[in-house]
Amino acid sequence: SQKIEQNSEALNIQEGKTATLTCNYTNYSPAYLQWYRQDPGRGPVFLLLIRENEKEKRKERLKVTFDTTLKQSLFHITASQPADSATYLCALPPRAGNNRKLIWGLGTSLAVNP
Amino acid sequence: GAGVSQSPSNKVTEKGKDVELRCDPISGHTALYWYRQSLGQGLEFLIYFQGNSAPDKSGLPSDRFSAERTGGSVSTLTIQRTQQEDSAVYLCASSPTSGATDTQYFGPGTRLTVL
């Protein structure tokens, strides 16, 4: 079955540095991959989607890469700010069929220190 | 509405009581999901509704859990004879299915505490 792995250890970085989070997947080739942000006590919020034929996607200070050979996506936050502190989740579509349930990673907690 | 809404935002109940949690999805979204999230844990899928199709109940942890979606819009998650291990945040999400992707829009969640 499909499996997603995200860094389980929290990432602590200094304000202004670039944060890089990893999402690895196995056992299939998804048509796209999504990244969400979740703050404590709130539901996840969609950030970016990258398709299998896109190597890189940018949105303001966010950049996502998608390496279908490595089966990996990297999520970068440049010029990080304390307000970027949150848990970041990656999600992939199901392998096939009419089932449209996303498959979720467990998330990586990011803390940006002032 | 502007986003997914859930009610109540907090629910404290006694062990053995039944609870109902409500979700109002974004208007026009045909897909609706329920998740559970315990403190510090990932999203646990519970149930998925898609249009008029039979719901995918594969994530419901026991027969004490049930959900329905009336008129293709509002959904209610019911937990009967609540147990302390049911304490968690219950999240609802909706998704438009007119597009090729399945971006999910989440509500703020209902925090359930079973004493």
Side-chain angles (χ1 to χ4, degrees), chain A residues 32 34 36 38 41-46 49 51 89 93-94 98-102 104-106, chain B residues 33 35 37 42-43 45 48 50 56 58 91 96-97 99-104 106-108 111:
Chain A
Y32 61 84
Q34 301 185 8
Y36 289 74
Q38 186 174 24
R42 302 194 173 206
V45 175
F46 171 75
L49 178 148
R51 299 179 188 278
L89 307 168
N98 293 324
N99 183 342
R100 299 176 78 104
K101 289 186 306 188
L102 289 177
W104 294 86
L106 295 179
Chain B
Y33 307 79
Y35 296 90
Q37 190 171 38
L43 289 171
F45 165 78
Y48 159 58
Q50 173 55 57
D56 177 348
S58 60
L91 291 163
T97 50
T101 63
D102 301 286
T103 299
Q104 295 187 12
F106 284 81
R111 181 175 299 279

Side-chain angles (χ1 to χ4, degrees), chain B residues 11-64:
Chain B
K11 177 72 177 178
V12 180
T13 190
E14 293 179 350
K15 177 181 173 180
K17 300 283 190 183
D18 298 351
V19 295
E20 284 190 353
L21 312 180
R22 177 187 168 104
C23 172
D24 280 89
I26 293 173
S27 178
H29 282 193
T30 56
L32 187 147
Y33 307 79
W34 282 99
Y35 296 90
R36 179 168 71 175
Q37 190 171 38
S38 301
L39 187 64
Q41 302 299 309
L43 289 171
E44 176 187 3
F45 165 78
L46 296 177
I47 189 168
Y48 159 58
F49 295 90
Q50 173 55 57
N52 295 320
S53 302
D56 177 348
K57 304 179 182 180
S58 60
L60 295 178
S62 77
D63 59 8
R64 296 187 295 105

Side-chain angles (χ1 to χ4, degrees), chain A:
Chain A
S1 62
Q2 302 99 310
K3 187 176 178 183
I4 300 177
E5 290 183 354
Q6 293 188 254
N7 291 358
S8 57
E9 292 183 11
L11 181 63
N12 283 273
I13 64 169
Q14 204 64 30
E15 182 177 8
K17 301 292 186 183
T18 296
T20 298
L21 288 72
T22 305
C23 177
N24 295 301
Y25 59 92
T26 59
N27 294 338
Y28 79 131
S29 298
Y32 61 84
L33 185 148
Q34 301 185 8
W35 283 90
Y36 289 74
R37 167 184 174 142
Q38 186 174 24
D39 291 282
R42 302 194 173 206
V45 175
F46 171 75
L47 295 175
L48 279 169
L49 178 148
I50 186 165
R51 299 179 188 278
E52 60 180 338
N53 61 348
E54 298 176 314
K55 295 294 184 187
E56 182 180 296
K57 199 83 167 278
R58 291 177 184 261
K59 178 181 176 183
E60 297 173 352
R61 295 183 296 108
L62 308 181
K63 184 178 84 170
V64 173
T65 62
F66 196 5
D67 189 325
T68 55
T69 300
L70 292 179
K71 295 189 182 296
Q72 180 182 80
S73 175
L74 298 179
F75 179 83
H76 305 273
I77 305 174
T78 58
S80 60
Q81 304 168 359
D84 296 326
S85 299
T87 296
Y88 292 86
L89 307 168
C90 68
L92 280 72
R95 185 192 296 269
N98 293 324
N99 183 342
R100 299 176 78 104
K101 289 186 306 188
L102 289 177
I103 302 166
W104 294 86
L106 295 179
T108 299
S109 176
L110 171 67
V112 180
N113 305 307

